[in-house]
Amino acid sequence: MPPYYSARILGNVAEPHVVVAFARRRHAFSFVTRATRAGGRWSHTALFDPVREVFHEALMFAGVVETPASEWFGHYSEARLIAVPCPRPADGWAFAHAQTGKGYDYWGAAGVPWRRPWQDPDRWYCSEKDAAVLAAAGRPLFRDAEFGVHPHDLYRVAM
């Protein structure tokens, strides 16, 4: 792993883990997303693969994609990378890669502020996908992920 990225990862990278990235931008949609949760600091999540130097993320208008790290950091005004301990990170990554190319879950994302179960199994929004990947890696963070996962919720339990 390049030293630049490893220096930015919080948590114990010596044990099996998946790196979850939390980010925000300086624009209206990011502000609205953060405002839907009290104390919400983050408007986006992604998974970081330090070996391949890519971020696996669900983006509006693009769906589930991989973004090179060299591009990803330039899109956000603030970012934090956290190593979340998981007993089976390879299973989580296998699940994540199986989601690549799927569409963005607009209805699921719209339901997050009201905790509505609008998820579509063939579409993902960022924090919904990342919570599902962590569950596949053996680290379910929520008892009932059926009711929308906000980036702030994911951040609070990942810490």
Side-chain angles (χ1 to χ4, degrees), residues 12-78:
N12 184 357
V13 295
E15 65 182 82
H17 65 278
V18 170
V19 177
V20 181
F22 298 88
R24 65 192 261 170
R25 291 183 176 176
R26 289 187 180 104
H27 65 65
F29 186 75
S30 179
F31 174 78
V32 169
T33 301
R34 291 190 317 267
T36 62
R37 276 293 186 277
R41 181 175 182 176
W42 310 108
S43 59
H44 183 63
T45 67
L47 302 175
F48 178 55
D49 182 344
V51 174
R52 296 177 51 232
E53 296 185 34
V54 296
F55 283 86
H56 192 271
E57 58 188 334
L59 297 172
M60 285 185 165
F61 313 115
V64 181
V65 298
E66 289 187 339
T67 305
S70 58
E71 282 179 38
W72 192 87
F73 285 104
H75 293 255
Y76 301 98
S77 58
E78 184 179 3

Side-chain angles (χ1 to χ4, degrees), residues 51-139:
V51 174
R52 296 177 51 232
E53 296 185 34
V54 296
F55 283 86
H56 192 271
E57 58 188 334
L59 297 172
M60 285 185 165
F61 313 115
V64 181
V65 298
E66 289 187 339
T67 305
S70 58
E71 282 179 38
W72 192 87
F73 285 104
H75 293 255
Y76 301 98
S77 58
E78 184 179 3
R80 181 166 294 163
L81 301 153
I82 300 174
V84 178
C86 299
R88 301 181 314 276
D91 292 347
W93 277 109
F95 179 82
H97 292 303
Q99 308 316 305
T100 303
K102 291 188 176 182
Y104 188 82
D105 187 2
Y106 295 96
W107 282 114
V112 169
W114 299 278
R115 298 210 179 258
R116 298 299 304 257
W118 294 342
Q119 281 85 357
D120 179 336
D122 294 322
R123 298 181 172 279
W124 298 97
Y125 62 89
C126 63
S127 49
E128 170 190 44
K129 176 192 67 70
D130 296 343
V133 168
L134 291 172
R139 181 73 189 268

Side-chain angles (χ1 to χ4, degrees), residues 37 115-119 125 128 131-132 135 140-150 153 157:
R37 276 293 186 277
R115 298 210 179 258
R116 298 299 304 257
W118 294 342
Q119 281 85 357
Y125 62 89
E128 170 190 44
L141 300 175
F142 302 96
R143 284 187 218 153
D144 187 3
E146 180 181 320
F147 291 99
V149 178
H150 189 279
D153 300 333
V157 296

